[in-house]
Each structure stands twice: as C-alpha cells, then as structure tokens.
Amino acid sequence: MTRRRLATVWLDGCSGCHMSFLDLDERLLELAEHAELVYSPLVDVKEYPAGVDVCLVEGAVSTTDDLGRIRSVRARTRTLVSFGDCAVTANVPSLRNPVGAAPLLQRAYVDNVDRDAGVPVEVVPPLLDRSLPVHRVVPVEVFLPGCPPPADLIHETLLRLLGVEAGVPPERPPRFG
Amino acid sequence: MSVHTFTLDGQPVAGAAGETILEVATEQGVSIPTLCHLDGLSSVGACRLCVVEVAGRPRPQPACITPVEEGMEVVTRSEELDEWRATVVEMLFVERNHICSICVANGDCELQDLAVDLGVDHFELPAMSPRLEIDSSHRLFAIDHNRCVLCTRCVRVCDEIEGAHTWDVMGRGIDARVVSDLGTPWGASPTCTSCGKCVQVCPTGALFEKGRAVGEGAKERRPFLPYLRRHGAGTR
Ligand code: SF4
Ligand code: SF4
Ligand code: FES
C-alpha cells in the first residue's frame, strides 16, 4: 500500500504541539505504516517538498520569514491543519498585538537596556506588526485547537485525514487552552 | 395562578404566567445555552446566547427574558440558531484578549465551554486586540478586563445579593467596562465588603482571586452560594 505524504511545520510556537505529537508514542509506528514524514523539524530535510498530502502547522505567523514559509507550504500541500492554539488564534505570540511591533521592540531592546541598545536586525527576520493566526494568511482546511492539542486528538485527526479507519474519538473534545 | 400553554420544539408544554421561556425549558429538561443568566439573579438579556425562535416574531428572542405566552410556538434548536449562537461566542472572543492557555480560568470557563458546545474551533472575525487594563489594587482579588464578557453577573450579585452595589457598567458598546465605585480603583472602594461573590459568579477569568496561577481559578471558585452554582460547573 502506498503511504501518504505527511509534513509538520514549526512557525511561532514553543514546540509544545510537536511534543504532543511525539506523545503518540507507539502509535507513531502505526502512523508510519500509513504515512511518510517528508518534512518536519523532526527529520533532516531542508526544503519543503511538493505534493504533501497533510501538513500540521504549529505556531502563529509572526515574521516576514513565517509569512514566506507558510505561503510556500500552502502551495505544496493538499490538507493544511492549523495545529494548536498558536496556529489557530495566535495565542501567546498575540500577547504583543495590543502594543504593535515597533513599540514592543523599542521597549525590549532600547528603553530597557543599559548596554548595546538597538533592535536586532541581523539573522532574525523582521516582526510583522501583529502575530496572526495561520488562516488569516492562507486558507486552512482543519483546525485543531488546544495548547497543546492532546495526543489522542492528534492521533484521531491524523488517521481520519490519512483516510485510515479512525480509532475511538478522544475523550476530551477539542478546545482552546 | 394563570397558566399558559404553548409548544416547545413542537411539544405541548405549560408555564405559569410570568415565567420565561428559559425557565419553562429548564423545567422540561430542554437545555438552552446561556451565559449572562444565572439562577438566583435577575435576568438582563445581555449576551444573547439564549436566543430562540418564536413563530410570528421577526427576530430571535432571548429566552431568559422573554415571558411565555398562550399559544406561542418556540423553537430552541435549529441550524440558524446554532449559527447565531456560535457567532455570539466568536464575537465575545475576538472583542477582547482571550488567551486560554495562560488564563486563570483555563479548564473552568463558561466561554471556553460554550465554544466547545457550539463547535467554535477558530474565529473567522479578526481579533480586535484592544489594550486593556488589569486592576489588582484589591487586597484579595483582581479584575482583568481582557477576559470580561460584560455579562454583568458581578454587578447584579453585588447589588442584589450582597447589597453593596460596588460594580456598575461605564461606557457604551465596545468601550463598555465594569467599574467599581464609578471608576475608583477596586482596592480603594468604600463599598466593597470583600465578600468575593463577584469572583464566584464571574463566568470567565475576568474576576479572580489573587495567588491563583494559570488554570487554577476553578477549585473553590463557587463553593458558597450553592443556589448560584451554574449548571454543569466543573463537570468538564
Ligand atoms: S476567560 Fe475563558 S475564554 Fe477567555 S481566555 Fe480565559 S479561559 Fe479562555
Ligand atoms: S467581570 Fe466577569 S462577571 Fe463581571 S461582567 Fe465581566 S465577565 Fe461578567
Ligand atoms: S443568557 Fe439570555 S441573554 Fe444572556
């Protein structure tokens, strides 16, 4: 049987959603029978490949770099999953939204420092004025709220999206937080 | 006592004159989502979660403040109502800064529960991200306006049960805020008795006891005033 092509992407999040994905534990082996992990922070592939069936996106869109990445991911993916609260609502990264990027950077890197004050511009990509949920930027097919989404929920959702007979729906319904 | 007979989702039912649709529905075991309503307090129809369809009326009616009438035909469940209610929930979320993962009420919040019940798993409306204040001047409690849904339960419990009337609503529409003593910092309130009833009835993480960390708001949030316990509190 041909395996489906699965990817995971890590934008502005804490990696907790990926940790929860790893909490599938032995069920990862079962998943590997149905899908090949073609791109992920967990595998050593540099370029997001074309023809991805399902992609879990963790994190909000917070920088120009995130913006470029999510657009190319979208273009190469059939089913995009907003994976966890940061992707779904912008969650913790959005704490800065009432303030705006420029005043925030000013406060953090200029006003509050005694030495070498200055907003970093090298290596780090520029912040967007606001952290955005993924679906504000590109269309999203599936929303998986939770901080992080519980492993049972990830398992059930992935099997369903991969077209495999899904197991028992998780006890806790998906919710924010 | 005069009795009105009418239909509730097609079933013939009876209610006493003066009873609301919500009261009769609850007696009949028909559940209607609510947020601002709390048994034991007056009803104000602030949130519109409880909307139902009444034949012959152009707009959905809030069940918590609409009295039953003879011959009424009430529908409590329909696709359209579900959509209305989900939109209300969504608007409550995007109007302020609800960041459940770091909220004191995480896991014991009526707004969070409503989102689950109504299948709200993301927001189509953009977040407004207003800049709002936290008043932590009170010795025991704090109010975080980022989480307030303006249900006015705090206003009513303080006035109607405690008799202190510390809280009021100031401003209109999007600028509305609950305020203590006409805008005095809570800690300097001459009327607040520090009874904590407002904290107990607050459906979200807006009013909380100091010293509670993320998700710790639940616990003894509503141990007193048993008649004020919201239905299903802490069952999720
Ligand atoms: S008040 Fe409720 S909905 Fe709002 S952030 Fe807190 S837990 Fe989430
Ligand atoms: S502080 Fe709480 S109880 Fe008071 S209006 Fe806001 S949400 Fe309702
Ligand atoms: S519960 Fe009826 S309007 Fe809020």
Side-chain angles (χ1 to χ4, degrees):
Chain A
M1 140 179 188
T2 57
R3 294 196 297 169
R4 312 299 284 277
R5 292 162 63 76
L6 176 68
T8 78
V9 168
W10 180 15
L11 303 179
D12 192 9
C14 70
S15 91
C17 296
H18 274 84
M19 295 297 151
S20 197
F21 173 70
L22 290 178
D23 278 342
L24 261 69
D25 297 333
E26 73 278 7
R27 287 174 293 185
L28 287 169
L29 299 175
E30 172 200 2
L31 192 65
E33 285 171 23
H34 303 292
E36 181 189 356
L37 195 57
V38 293
Y39 180 91
S40 169
L42 305 166
V43 299
D44 190 17
V45 176
K46 304 287 180 239
E47 274 281 306
Y48 193 91
V52 172
D53 292 307
V54 178
C55 177
L56 304 177
V57 182
E58 170 186 334
V61 179
S62 297
T63 66
T64 52
D65 183 60
D66 294 339
L67 201 56
R69 287 179 67 202
I70 193 63
R71 283 187 178 138
S72 79
V73 165
R74 171 70 278 184
R76 298 170 190 182
T77 310
R78 208 149 44 93
T79 305
L80 203 60
V81 183
S82 261
F83 180 37
D85 278 357
C86 291
V88 176
T89 70
N91 198 27
V92 171
S94 77
L95 273 171
R96 69 177 171 87
N97 287 0
V99 181
L104 178 87
L105 292 167
Q106 173 74 20
R107 173 65 78 90
Y109 289 99
V110 181
D111 298 348
N112 280 356
V113 293
D114 303 327
R115 295 179 44 180
D116 303 331
V119 175
V121 286
E122 272 167 46
V123 184
V124 288
L127 288 184
L128 302 176
D129 194 47
R130 284 178 165 212
S131 267
L132 300 169
V134 171
H135 69 281
R136 288 258 83 81
V137 178
V138 296
V140 164
E141 277 78 29
V142 179
F143 296 91
L144 212 52
C147 185
D152 287 353
L153 179 64
I154 302 171
H155 182 240
E156 198 257 349
T157 307
L158 276 181
L159 290 190
R160 185 163 44 84
L161 295 177
L162 294 169
V164 182
E165 194 61 48
V168 204
E171 244 169 58
R172 201 190 99 175
R175 71 151 162 79
F176 304 114
Chain B
M1 183 176 79
S2 75
V3 169
H4 293 312
T5 54
F6 63 104
T7 64
L8 196 63
D9 296 329
Q11 297 297 315
V13 292
E19 270 193 302
T20 62
I21 295 173
L22 180 65
E23 283 167 329
V24 176
T26 308
E27 284 160 26
Q28 298 292 328
V30 173
S31 92
I32 298 173
T34 57
L35 182 58
C36 66
H37 172 83
L38 193 65
D39 286 342
L41 300 182
S42 63
S43 286
V44 289
C47 74
R48 307 279 147 161
L49 245 312
C50 66
V51 283
V52 295
E53 283 162 15
V54 178
R57 302 203 187 163
R59 272 186 299 278
Q61 307 284 308
C64 70
I65 51 166
T66 306
V68 297
E69 283 174 24
E70 186 63 33
M72 231 178 192
E73 291 168 34
V74 179
V75 173
T76 70
R77 289 234 83 108
S78 72
E79 247 174 60
E80 208 178 15
L81 285 173
D82 281 349
E83 226 166 88
W84 264 73
R85 291 166 181 160
T87 303
V88 168
V89 166
E90 183 169 339
M91 290 195 297
L92 289 173
F93 267 99
V94 301
E95 191 173 306
R96 303 228 173 163
N97 302 306
H98 289 275
I99 303 181
C100 299
S101 59
I102 54 158
C103 179
V104 66
N106 191 14
D108 185 55
C109 171
E110 294 183 41
L111 183 59
Q112 215 179 22
D113 290 351
L114 282 165
V116 172
D117 294 345
L118 297 166
V120 177
D121 61 2
H122 72 287
F123 312 123
E124 291 295 335
L125 300 166
M128 298 189 64
S129 307
R131 206 165 171 179
L132 297 170
E133 292 192 343
I134 299 174
D135 178 353
S136 59
S137 59
H138 192 283
R139 188 170 51 91
L140 301 170
F141 314 121
I143 178 164
D144 181 353
H145 292 280
N146 290 288
R147 311 284 196 257
C148 174
V149 293
L150 293 173
C151 68
T152 73
R153 283 185 186 180
C154 54
V155 178
R156 286 172 285 148
V157 79
C158 184
D159 178 41
E160 297 166 14
I161 308 289
E162 180 61 5
H165 199 129
T166 299
W167 297 105
D168 275 295
V169 178
M170 192 169 82
R172 301 203 141 254
I174 208 84
D175 297 321
R177 305 278 183 273
V178 289
V179 291
S180 42
D181 292 304
L182 307 175
T184 311
W186 195 359
S189 161
T191 61
C192 174
T193 64
S194 301
C195 73
K197 288 184 176 68
C198 54
V199 176
Q200 303 293 321
V201 300
C202 179
T204 68
L207 286 163
F208 57 96
E209 281 176 52
K210 284 183 170 178
R212 305 254 178 207
V214 170
E216 284 189 357
K219 285 70 177 195
E220 301 81 38
R221 211 147 139 241
R222 289 154 253 263
F224 74 136
L225 294 183
Y227 53 97
L228 290 182
R229 277 188 79 98
R230 58 193 179 134
H231 34 255
T235 52
R236 194 171 299 278

